[in-house]
Amino acid sequence: MRYLGKQEIEDIAIGAALLGTGGGGDPYIGKLMALQAIEEHGPIKLLDPEEVPDEAVIVPSAMMGAPTVMVEKIPSGEEAITAFESLKSNLSTEIYATMPIEAGGVNSLLPFALAARQGLPVIDSDGMGRAFPELQMVTFYLDGLSATPMVLSDEKGNGMVLNTINSVWAERLARGATIEMGGSVMLAIYPMTGEQMKSSSIRNSLSLEENIGRSIREAKEKNYNPVDSVLELTNGYELFQGKVKDINRKTESGFARGTATIEGIHHDKGKELELNFQNEHLMATADGELLCVTPDLIAVLDAETGMPITTEGLRYGARCIVIGMPCDEKWRTEQGIATAGPGYFGYDVNYTPVEQLNEQEGNHDA
Amino acid sequence: MRYLGKQEIEDIAIGAALLGTGGGGDPYIGKLMALQAIEEHGPIKLLDPEEVPDEAVIVPSAMMGAPTVMVEKIPSGEEAITAFESLKSNLSTEIYATMPIEAGGVNSLLPFALAARQGLPVIDSDGMGRAFPELQMVTFYLDGLSATPMVLSDEKGNGMVLNTINSVWAERLARGATIEMGGSVMLAIYPMTGEQMKSSSIRNSLSLEENIGRSIREAKEKNYNPVDSVLELTNGYELFQGKVKDINRKTESGFARGTATIEGIHHDKGKELELNFQNEHLMATADGELLCVTPDLIAVLDAETGMPITTEGLRYGARCIVIGMPCDEKWRTEQGIATAGPGYFGYDVNYTPVEQLNEQEGNHDA
């Protein structure tokens, strides 16, 4: 157990942008909300999963919606409390702690804002080890836990309790409601016991984000490039260096979908990298050759500062380094690949671990 | 208080088709469900509103969705019980009785099926005195009662509890969810006290349906035309006699929308009646002259048998009599007309009571 103050939140926000793999919503909003909550309520207690009693009731919290909308419609924090309190009343029990469902983007930070205001601890783990765009794309789903009862709350005061036959239906009904409610809502979701959390969640992902963020911050302060230390922390690979040449994005069915083309510079000169995203970067190919594909992680870093760039933040002409990182082993099972692999997102490639795609060519920097 | 058996249900179903003004879903499905429930559980207790204690909790029940879908996806009755039980648990109270939210179509009959299975009485009243396509189009809304907490249940086992800031939001969110859930769902909605029910509902509309249905049935048995007795029971007007010439209907945003053109015969020869509908018949004009418009009621009857024809049942060449009937006075207030008048449905005419539109021309048969 330790307490997180403003510096830790700043670092986690940077790491969240990186593990957000370009999506999950800009962590900036979540960071502002968490910092404001610490300002008002003091430091936030972070628990190691092992410190949580087996019989404790845990309720993850999250925002649902398209990142483009989130930027325009910043939540007050009241919606999260309403969703949380409504689920507490539905469960007729006290809640021991909250946690993120995804390590990545705004959803890594939002549970801190809620926890500070509710006087609850946050658990150092999540359900993805990265960001993904749909509610069933969590290790909890792979382990048979139910997303419901879950609550959606909007900023206007509308609320919805869902009880669905499975988490795919939860995703479907919540997505439709999110669009009706204005494009983004707050969720209290996947209620579970401490025992279930310990066996199913991806552990210490918030600490990993903090370490990533700290190394990027320190590199910036001391004016060196942080990519090597990021690759070391994440067991990652440098995939490409280049300049953004083309971006196509559109918001449809509540998702920000698109592609970006990056033109090679330095040793990648003459080549082109194509990035495919649906909120998150999901597939990277260079001149038709697969370099990294979901559920493995792809992040785009500013070539100068090493700061992660979201899909929304990609700008024409930006110089960047694209990295690939292995996902948690839970995603590499048959069910994991069926749930969040390339086929699910409509890409006609077989999943191959990023290590295999890159080590055999000898370009692993570690 | 009296008990309703199979004959009463058969009669109510005919009256429900007439007050359904062409919509509300074919009462046939609701009738089958109610008859089956009586077969299994015996006659159903019908209460006069005055017999209900002020402090009793009343929960109306209904089906939501497009009539076209309802015909293809007949509910088992389990969804209604699930919705009802879920709202009971949400309210943490016993429920004294159920009732329809609309007198018209399938929703007049469904509460009987639920009541028989739950051992509850049905109250002889409703919230429209007719059928309307949206959840806020009830006298309860005009009187400031909330549609929520309400529950939606589908046949797959998915459920949703809504708490909205007003009943227009309840309609919007429930409509979206209904489409996601396959086009039709069961609702437990507008929970209220006995006192609220007595002051807000339209009274004895189920008995009116029964009387209409009985008069049509008896006319058929004795081989005379029942139109005159229907007009007497409803204070209605014969608007037109003719033959269906043209029908345009499409299902969009969960509604069955369209127009029908009826070519005059007998004394209406040479004229044409245009009917506009959105689930229900909403406006009737003959050669550009307004004859009847929502919230007043328009029904199309088979010219031979006097049996009501739904918008879905309208067929090319069918000979029919179109009648207009005054709505309840609650709909003739400024708020009533704003909620369910011609402007709300996008028709560019002012509301004029059917009596004024027809009496001045001396074609009232009474």
Side-chain angles (χ1 to χ4, degrees):
Chain A
M1 192 271 283
R2 60 193 177 100
Y3 283 91
L4 303 182
K6 291 186 178 182
Q7 185 60 66
E8 288 84 355
I9 294 296
E10 294 277 1
D11 289 344
I12 288 174
I14 298 172
L18 192 127
L19 294 189
T21 63
D26 192 332
Y28 185 69
I29 298 162
K31 184 181 84 171
L32 291 186
M33 290 174 68
L35 292 177
Q36 177 70 27
I38 288 176
E39 181 73 36
E40 289 169 19
H41 303 279
I44 298 156
K45 196 186 279 187
L46 185 74
L47 297 181
D48 186 88
E50 282 307 318
E51 296 175 289
V52 177
D54 279 353
E55 66 285 2
V57 175
I58 314 300
V59 173
S61 47
M63 182 188 248
M64 183 174 201
T68 36
V69 176
M70 289 184 193
V71 175
E72 288 159 19
K73 202 181 88 163
I74 295 175
S76 71
E78 281 306 314
E79 305 95 290
I81 291 174
T82 305
F84 205 73
E85 289 291 330
S86 169
L87 189 56
K88 187 156 89 178
S89 138
N90 188 281
L91 295 168
S92 305
T93 180
E94 284 305 306
I95 296 171
Y96 185 84
T98 188
M99 60 181 282
I101 60 168
E102 56 185 328
V106 65
N107 272 334
S108 272
L109 279 300
L110 289 177
F112 291 112
L114 174 72
R117 285 156 161 257
Q118 296 284 87
L120 288 176
V122 173
I123 302 167
D124 188 5
S125 69
D126 80 298
M128 299 186 193
R130 50 164 298 159
F132 270 131
E134 298 184 4
L135 296 180
Q136 79 282 8
M137 295 174 170
V138 287
T139 51
F140 316 137
Y141 172 71
L142 303 181
D143 289 328
L145 305 182
S146 174
T148 70
M150 68 179 273
V151 178
L152 285 77
S153 294
D154 74 12
E155 80 292 351
K156 293 173 282 293
N158 295 310
M160 186 183 281
V161 185
L162 283 175
N163 276 291
T164 56
I165 47 173
N166 60 45
S167 299
V168 175
W169 269 103
E171 159 65 28
R172 184 170 166 180
L173 294 176
R175 185 73 52 188
T178 298
I179 295 166
E180 285 293 336
M181 283 168 154
S184 74
V185 299
M186 295 300 308
L187 308 179
I189 185 169
Y190 281 105
M192 68 184 83
T193 65
E195 189 178 12
Q196 289 169 326
M197 179 275 297
K198 280 181 265 191
S199 91
S200 186
S201 72
I202 293 179
R203 294 185 180 209
N204 305 114
S205 40
L206 296 174
S207 290
L208 174 62
E209 290 180 332
E210 189 188 350
N211 291 335
I212 293 168
R214 189 191 309 113
S215 74
I216 293 176
R217 171 172 58 85
E218 287 177 354
K220 197 179 177 187
E221 284 164 7
K222 295 170 188 162
N223 205 24
Y224 64 87
N225 191 303
V227 171
D228 287 348
S229 51
V230 168
L231 294 179
E232 199 178 321
L233 282 164
T234 59
N235 299 312
Y237 299 81
E238 184 177 310
L239 303 178
F240 204 78
Q241 289 199 27
K243 203 168 68 175
V244 178
K245 189 185 149 191
D246 229 359
I247 310 153
N248 290 298
R249 64 166 77 87
K250 54 183 171 175
T251 301
E252 54 178 27
S253 309
F255 288 116
R257 288 198 171 96
T259 57
T261 309
I262 299 168
E263 195 171 32
I265 48 175
H266 306 313
H267 59 275
D268 291 324
K269 203 167 158 70
K271 295 172 88 178
E272 273 192 0
L273 184 87
E274 184 173 274
L275 278 175
N276 290 267
F277 56 87
Q278 177 174 325
N279 286 13
E280 288 72 42
H281 292 306
L282 296 175
M283 184 167 70
T285 51
D287 301 326
E289 186 196 350
L290 184 66
L291 295 185
C292 188
V293 69
T294 181
D296 284 333
L297 291 73
I298 299 163
V300 180
L301 308 180
D302 181 289
E304 293 298 313
T305 63
M307 289 289 282
I309 305 173
T310 62
T311 58
E312 292 305 311
L314 276 176
R315 296 285 173 265
Y316 174 78
R319 284 167 185 262
C320 57
I321 299 171
V322 182
I323 66 173
M325 298 161 277
C327 62
D328 190 274
E329 286 301 323
K330 286 179 187 275
W331 289 116
R332 292 179 167 185
T333 60
E334 195 178 331
Q335 202 201 346
I337 292 165
T339 303
Y344 183 86
F345 291 101
Y347 304 127
D348 190 20
V349 301
N350 289 320
Y351 171 71
T352 310
V354 65
E355 303 93 303
Q356 276 183 46
L357 290 173
N358 291 273
E359 264 175 356
Q360 59 200 24
E361 295 174 28
N363 62 349
H364 189 197
D365 290 331
Chain B
M1 194 270 285
R2 60 193 176 99
Y3 282 91
L4 304 182
K6 292 186 176 182
Q7 184 60 64
E8 288 84 356
I9 294 297
E10 294 277 1
D11 289 343
I12 288 174
I14 297 172
L18 191 127
L19 294 189
T21 62
D26 192 332
Y28 184 68
I29 299 162
K31 183 182 85 172
L32 291 187
M33 291 174 68
L35 291 178
Q36 178 69 27
I38 288 176
E39 181 73 35
E40 289 167 21
H41 303 279
I44 298 155
K45 196 187 277 188
L46 185 74
L47 296 181
D48 186 272
E50 282 307 318
E51 295 175 290
V52 178
D54 279 355
E55 67 284 3
V57 175
I58 312 301
V59 173
S61 47
M63 181 189 251
M64 183 173 200
T68 35
V69 175
M70 290 184 191
V71 175
E72 287 159 20
K73 204 182 87 162
I74 296 173
S76 71
E78 280 308 312
E79 307 95 288
I81 290 174
T82 305
F84 205 74
E85 288 292 328
S86 169
L87 189 57
K88 186 155 91 178
S89 138
N90 188 283
L91 296 169
S92 304
T93 179
E94 284 305 305
I95 296 172
Y96 185 84
T98 189
M99 60 183 280
I101 61 170
E102 57 185 328
V106 66
N107 272 333
S108 271
L109 279 301
L110 289 177
F112 290 112
L114 174 72
R117 284 154 160 258
Q118 296 283 87
L120 289 175
V122 174
I123 302 167
D124 188 5
S125 69
D126 80 300
M128 300 184 190
R130 50 165 298 159
F132 270 131
E134 298 184 5
L135 296 181
Q136 79 282 9
M137 295 176 171
V138 286
T139 51
F140 316 138
Y141 172 71
L142 303 181
D143 289 328
L145 304 183
S146 173
T148 70
M150 69 179 270
V151 178
L152 284 78
S153 296
D154 74 11
E155 81 291 352
K156 293 174 282 293
N158 295 309
M160 187 182 280
V161 185
L162 283 174
N163 276 291
T164 56
I165 47 175
N166 59 45
S167 299
V168 174
W169 269 102
E171 159 65 28
R172 185 169 165 180
L173 294 175
R175 185 72 53 187
T178 297
I179 295 166
E180 284 294 335
M181 284 168 154
S184 72
V185 298
M186 293 301 309
L187 308 178
I189 186 168
Y190 282 103
M192 68 184 85
T193 64
E195 190 178 9
Q196 289 169 326
M197 178 277 297
K198 280 181 264 189
S199 90
S200 186
S201 71
I202 293 179
R203 296 187 179 206
N204 304 114
S205 40
L206 296 174
S207 289
L208 174 62
E209 289 179 333
E210 189 188 349
N211 291 336
I212 293 169
R214 188 191 307 114
S215 75
I216 293 176
R217 172 173 56 87
E218 287 177 354
K220 196 177 176 189
E221 285 164 6
K222 293 171 190 163
N223 203 25
Y224 64 85
N225 192 302
V227 172
D228 287 348
S229 50
V230 167
L231 293 178
E232 198 178 321
L233 282 164
T234 59
N235 300 310
Y237 300 81
E238 184 177 310
L239 303 178
F240 204 79
Q241 287 201 28
K243 201 167 70 175
V244 178
K245 187 184 150 191
D246 228 359
I247 311 152
N248 290 297
R249 65 164 78 89
K250 53 183 172 177
T251 300
E252 53 180 26
S253 310
F255 287 116
R257 287 198 173 95
T259 57
T261 309
I262 299 169
E263 196 172 28
I265 47 174
H266 304 314
H267 57 277
D268 292 323
K269 203 169 160 64
K271 295 171 91 179
E272 273 192 358
L273 185 88
E274 185 174 272
L275 278 176
N276 289 267
F277 57 87
Q278 177 174 326
N279 286 11
E280 286 73 41
H281 293 305
L282 296 175
M283 184 166 73
T285 51
D287 301 326
E289 186 197 351
L290 184 65
L291 295 185
C292 189
V293 68
T294 181
D296 285 331
L297 290 73
I298 300 163
V300 181
L301 308 181
D302 181 288
E304 293 298 312
T305 63
M307 288 291 280
I309 305 173
T310 63
T311 57
E312 292 305 311
L314 276 176
R315 296 285 174 265
Y316 174 79
R319 285 168 185 261
C320 58
I321 298 171
V322 183
I323 66 173
M325 298 161 276
C327 63
D328 190 274
E329 285 302 321
K330 285 178 187 277
W331 290 115
R332 292 180 166 183
T333 60
E334 195 177 330
Q335 202 201 345
I337 292 165
T339 302
Y344 183 86
F345 291 100
Y347 304 126
D348 191 22
V349 300
N350 289 320
Y351 171 71
T352 309
V354 63
E355 303 93 304
Q356 275 182 47
L357 291 173
N358 292 273
E359 263 175 355
Q360 61 200 19
E361 295 175 26
N363 61 350
H364 190 194
D365 289 332

